[in-house]
Amino acid sequence: MESYDFAVIGGGSAGYAAAAAAARLGLKTCCIEGGKDVGGLCILQGCMPSKALLESANRFRTLRRADEFGLRTGKIGFSAESIIQRKRRLVAGFAGYRAEQLHRGKFEFIRGKAQFLDAQRLRVQHLGTMGDFSGHTSELMARTTLVATGSEIDVIDLPGLVEAGYLTSDSALDTESIPASCVILGGGAIALEFAHYYESFGSRVTIIQRSGQLLKEADGDIAEALTEAYRHRGMDIRCGTRLLRVAREGQQRTVHFEQGGAPHSASGEEVFYALGRRPTTAHLGLPEAGVERDGRGAILVTPTMQTTEPTLFAAGDVTGTWEVVHLAIEQGVLAAQNAARLLQGKPLQSMDYRLKLFAMFSEPQVAFVGLTEREAAGQGLAIKSACYPFSDHGKGLVHGEPEGFVKLLCLAGTGEIVGGAVVGAAASELIHEITVAMYFRATAGQLASIPHYHPTLSEIWTYPAEELAESVLG
């Protein structure tokens, strides 16, 4: 029986990063991938394919707005089939590169489905010659193990949904058509990005959100600005709802729901389901390994990324924390480092979520880093905040993107920046200036004193920074 210092279950972003880190630390490492394709969620069915589609949508919206900038384009059109084909080419390249990294890594790469027999033993059902997991079975020993098997779509029990048929982020990424109308269930990042995608190509979009606002994790002012922008684009947005049932009537699908205690319905050619994901943990044999999960199936972890069995670690979506790639990678690398420390009898280190980032590639974009005002209040922190609108910012007006604003949060006593948010043009890029400032624990006054070229979008940060600096000094 083969024995390893560190085994990784899952070859996605977190798993690959962890295996590579463990190998660099001198641990005898294996990485076991049980997916049909190699690459992980981000590359195959998440970040990269969705952003490929959104890039096409963004370019088409630019063409739609040509007259606004004094340009003449003539009759414009699109090919949904060509958009999907471009996405497939890009994803094939990304996945091919990841597969090469896994095969050439300084660790053993195993194609198979892993299951715990106990905390140190794994059974692996290997990939067969027909491309399914019906090959031979083997067992291996691992002194430490990381679970990084990602997440899957969590379909709630909504009467009529299955019978009516629906799209998900998985199926929509390969659908070579744009519906004339679409009812989107959910108000998170996936729902809102696809709402942007469909509306850009002319779909009539209705968004039905169960929570009281879009992006329930965001502060209310961020959500309200996004809602206003989407409504300006013609989308029908319903928040604070209770879903009742779905019915199919010919070529239309109708979602029945309650809002404000009254019955409502919304119809579309398609229903897009985006009501969340769940950790992929059901078939790992976690109870045999002494690993506990919460009610949603997420693996319980400590800040050191250890599970309830200290020699076993978890990272990424299986932990049910923030479903974002950069944090999954950080968690995976820390798990590998802590596995090495554990084997050497050294103290372990903890994850630091102070710089946690979020970005959504809608239009307008949304991004935030660090604390929201709601989180700061929950922690009892005395903070000050300041905002500045793109509608009063020269470069934003030149871009033709006056919607939204930037917001900066700092500690009331010291002026140290503890959070930032953007809803507006290039939010996913602009937020990194605040991330760097927070990394060095800069104050609002220090940020305000840094030269910014004029006219640029990034100089918008100087206005709330100056306001906060004066407020703290005052």
Side-chain angles (χ1 to χ4, degrees):
M1 183 186 299
E2 194 72 30
S3 181
Y4 299 90
D5 298 315
F6 187 62
V8 179
I9 305 175
S13 298
Y16 167 71
R24 286 194 298 269
L25 291 169
L27 300 185
K28 183 180 179 182
T29 302
C30 69
C31 180
I32 309 165
E33 172 56 53
K36 177 182 177 182
D37 299 304
V38 176
L41 176 65
C42 176
I43 290 176
L44 298 174
Q45 296 170 303
C47 313
M48 304 313 293
S50 65
K51 303 313 170 282
L53 299 190
L54 291 176
E55 189 60 33
S56 293
N58 294 339
R59 301 296 179 102
F60 193 71
R61 279 183 58 79
T62 298
L63 294 176
R64 285 173 55 183
R65 298 178 61 192
D67 283 351
E68 181 182 334
F69 295 89
L71 306 176
R72 297 292 181 267
T73 59
K75 185 177 180 179
I76 63 173
F78 64 89
S79 167
E81 181 180 355
S82 296
I83 291 169
I84 296 299
Q85 288 174 349
R86 176 179 183 268
K87 182 271 301 183
R88 289 171 181 159
R89 290 193 299 270
L90 288 169
V91 169
F94 299 143
Y97 181 66
R98 173 54 53 80
E100 183 179 343
Q101 289 178 308
L102 287 163
H103 283 289
R104 294 188 177 184
K106 296 182 178 179
F107 50 83
E108 185 176 354
F109 181 51
I110 302 170
R111 293 298 312 280
K113 292 185 177 293
Q115 183 178 32
F116 285 100
L117 299 176
D118 57 41
Q120 265 77 51
R121 289 189 304 142
L122 288 167
R123 177 190 293 125
V124 180
Q125 184 74 50
H126 292 262
L127 184 69
T129 56
M130 301 300 293
D132 58 3
F133 292 91
S134 61
H136 70 283
T137 300
S138 68
E139 293 184 14
L140 61 85
M141 296 284 294
R143 298 168 69 193
T144 58
T145 298
L146 169 70
V147 178
T149 47
S151 63
E152 58 195 8
I153 293 169
D154 185 15
V155 181
I156 65 170
D157 184 15
L158 178 59
L161 177 66
V162 174
E163 292 80 4
Y166 58 95
L167 293 171
T168 67
S169 56
D170 289 352
S171 59
L173 289 171
D174 252 349
T175 300
E176 297 179 347
S177 62
I178 301 293
S181 55
C182 186
V183 180
I184 294 182
L185 305 183
I190 293 173
L192 297 176
E193 286 184 350
F194 271 94
H196 162 48
Y197 174 67
Y198 288 132
E199 193 282 330
S200 296
F201 290 112
S203 288
R204 176 173 53 83
V205 172
T206 302
I207 299 171
I208 303 177
Q209 164 73 317
R210 293 176 296 179
S211 299
Q213 65 174 50
L214 300 182
L215 285 181
K216 61 183 180 181
E217 303 85 0
D219 283 330
D221 53 355
I222 298 292
E224 181 56 35
L226 179 66
T227 300
E228 182 179 343
Y230 267 31
R231 284 179 172 153
H232 182 71
R233 290 174 59 175
M235 300 187 209
D236 184 8
I237 299 175
R238 306 296 187 94
C239 295
T241 67
R242 184 171 74 90
L243 298 174
L244 299 176
R245 68 185 187 279
V246 180
R248 183 164 186 166
E249 302 160 356
Q251 297 302 311
Q252 293 289 298
R253 295 166 172 87
T254 300
V255 178
H256 297 269
F257 60 97
E258 285 184 358
Q259 185 181 33
H264 296 270
S265 65
S267 298
E269 185 179 310
E270 293 284 2
V271 168
F272 184 94
Y273 181 95
L275 294 177
R277 302 180 66 87
R278 65 186 177 203
T280 305
T281 58
H283 305 294
L284 294 173
L286 295 176
E288 284 72 20
V291 175
E292 295 181 10
R293 293 172 289 171
D294 66 14
R296 294 183 56 248
I299 297 176
L300 302 176
V301 291
T302 65
T304 60
M305 305 315 300
Q306 289 171 289
T307 70
T308 47
E309 163 50 55
T311 63
L312 303 183
F313 298 79
D317 289 2
V318 292
T319 66
T321 50
W322 292 277
E323 296 177 355
V324 288
V325 172
H326 77 281
L327 283 176
I329 292 172
E330 287 182 43
Q331 290 172 339
V333 170
L334 181 71
Q337 294 169 342
N338 277 343
R341 294 185 182 101
L342 185 69
L343 295 176
Q344 296 164 5
K346 296 180 179 179
L348 307 190
Q349 296 184 351
S350 297
M351 274 291 295
D352 180 5
Y353 294 108
R354 188 173 63 90
L355 301 179
K356 68 180 188 298
L357 275 159
F358 170 85
M360 186 177 72
F361 297 83
S362 51
E363 189 169 320
Q365 293 185 5
V366 177
F368 40 89
V369 63
L371 295 176
T372 64
E373 288 190 90
R374 186 186 307 161
E375 289 171 332
Q379 295 180 23
L381 296 176
I383 63 166
K384 292 178 179 288
S385 68
C387 301
Y388 198 85
F390 281 101
S391 62
D392 194 43
H393 185 51
K395 193 61 181 288
L397 296 173
V398 169
H399 268 278
E401 306 288 353
E403 295 170 318
F405 59 91
V406 297
K407 179 166 69 172
L408 206 57
L409 279 64
C410 75
L411 295 178
T414 65
E416 180 184 336
I417 298 169
V418 294
V422 191
V423 53
S428 60
E429 306 293 340
L430 290 174
I431 198 64
H432 290 88
E433 179 168 350
I434 306 308
T435 307
V436 172
M438 287 179 60
Y439 180 87
F440 290 104
R441 297 189 177 275
T443 64
Q446 289 171 325
L447 177 61
S449 69
I450 296 173
H452 286 70
Y453 198 83
H454 176 78
T456 60
L457 284 176
S458 61
E459 68 178 327
I460 194 173
W461 286 118
T462 62
Y463 303 117
E466 288 169 356
E467 180 181 335
L468 289 175
E470 293 176 2
S471 175
V472 171
L473 290 174

